[in-house]
């Protein structure tokens, strides 16, 4: 089963849920940190590096002899990664998403594609947990191809948990695509509800079954609960607003280890997810 942990905004406790759920799955679980702009899962696991590889995308290179400055490539690129400056074609590799479209529309065959590094994918091990994390190079903006590289490491014979980038833009969509179930983490506040609505719209658009985890239950109000009830959305876990959880988090400790009374909550979440797969 491939489970993505997502949220409409950062700071809701998404990584806490990812790490603790991985812990109760135990031996053999794969935990993928798809938040490649800011991977932080390993702050909690302190896993040992086994393997590291580079990820490249294919970016355009223009042959000025063949190019007649028609501008078709520039018109096509929605990321402004290839633009006309008078009769000259300028390429901005850090904006390129490697889609290959500019080479396809160039009827003069003036564009060929060359490798350009965007980041690394690291495989690490902590106890029985295999952690795969992407790390985007500084100044690079093409996040989805690196997320895809991280997801290519999923082994079909083991369960996988994907810690998604926050928000509802391309990197989150790239993470959620082709997963079996999505857990949306939110807080019971008006802001939490606002971001949850956006996240629900995204997951419904992609067409993946999903449920909600409420973090810091006890603060705010009951609007998130009422919204989930009205929309028929499953509420799978409520993590109380407990000062000891914040203290454990700030020390980089894993909740189910630091406060064993919470282990049962995460085991119930694991069992509910596995039950849904049957
Ligand atoms: S589409 Fe090809 S020929 Fe036209 S400007 Fe771009 S590289 Fe030059
Ligand atoms: S490969 Fe795609 S993103 Fe990159 S310059 Fe060409 S059209 Fe733009």
């Amino acid at each position: 089963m491939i489970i993505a942990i997502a949220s409409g905004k950062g700071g809701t406790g998404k990584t806490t849920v990812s790490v603790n759920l991985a812990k109760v799955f135990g031996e053999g679980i794969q935990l993928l940190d798809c938040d490649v702009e800011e991977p932080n899962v390993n702050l909690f696991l302190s896993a040992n590096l086994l393997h590291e590889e580079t990820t490249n995308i294919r970016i355009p290179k223009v042959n000025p002899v063949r190019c007649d400055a028609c501008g078709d490539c520039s018109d096509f690129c929605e990321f402004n990664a290839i633009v006309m400056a008078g009769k000259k074609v300028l390429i901005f590799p850090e904006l390129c998403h490697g889609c290959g479209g500019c080479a396809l529309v160039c009827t003069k065959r003036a564009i060929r594609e060359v490798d350009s590094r965007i980041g690394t994918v690291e495989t690490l091990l902590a106890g029985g947990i295999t952690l795969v994390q992407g790390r985007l190079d500084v100044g690079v903006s093409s996040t989805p191809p690196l997320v895809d590289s991280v997801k290519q490491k999923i082994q079909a014979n083991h369960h996988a948990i994907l810690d998604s980038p926050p928000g509802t833009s391309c990197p989150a969509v790239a993470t959620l695509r082709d997963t079996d179930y999505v857990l949306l983490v939110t807080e019971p506040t008006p802001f939490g509800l606002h971001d949850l609505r956006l996240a629900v719209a995204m997951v419904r658009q992609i067409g993946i079954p999903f449920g909600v985890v409420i973090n810091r239950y006890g603060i705010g109000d009951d609007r998130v609960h009422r919204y989930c009830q009205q929309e028929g959305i499953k509420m799978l876990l409520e993590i109380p607003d407990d000062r000891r959880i914040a203290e454990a988090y700030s020390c980089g400790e894993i909740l189910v280890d630091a406060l064993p009374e919470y282990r049962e909550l995460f085991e119930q979440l694991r069992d509910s997810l596995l039950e849904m797969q049957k």
Side-chain angles (χ1 to χ4, degrees), residues 35-99:
D35 192 358
V36 298
E37 289 176 35
E38 218 172 328
N40 64 351
V41 169
N42 201 29
L43 294 177
F44 299 92
L45 291 181
S46 302
N48 295 314
L49 183 65
L50 296 181
H51 179 66
E52 179 179 343
E53 63 193 50
T54 301
T55 295
N56 298 314
I57 57 169
R58 304 281 284 165
I59 66 163
K61 189 173 164 87
V62 174
N63 178 345
V65 178
R66 284 175 176 260
C67 175
D68 67 0
C70 68
D72 288 351
C73 53
S74 165
D75 291 344
F76 178 85
C77 183
E78 58 182 276
F79 303 107
N80 296 319
I82 186 163
V83 295
M84 300 303 298
K87 298 257 173 218
K88 216 168 165 221
V89 182
L90 298 182
I91 295 164
F92 298 94
E94 63 283 0
L95 298 180
C96 177
H97 282 53
C99 71

Side-chain angles (χ1 to χ4, degrees), residues 151-184:
K151 289 172 68 178
Q152 277 166 16
K153 297 288 177 193
I154 296 175
Q155 292 177 357
N157 53 343
H158 291 287
H159 298 299
I161 296 168
L162 279 56
D163 188 22
S164 169
T168 55
S169 58
C170 298
V173 173
T175 303
L176 269 48
R177 210 185 291 130
D178 300 323
T179 59
D180 298 311
Y181 198 87
V182 178
L183 284 178
L184 295 175

Side-chain angles (χ1 to χ4, degrees), residues 64 81 85 129 137 153 185 196 221 231 243 254 270 273 277:
I129 300 175
D137 285 349
K153 297 288 177 193
V185 184
L196 177 63
D221 54 35
E231 294 285 327
R243 187 187 165 83
I254 297 175
R270 174 200 63 199
L273 292 164
Q277 196 192 14

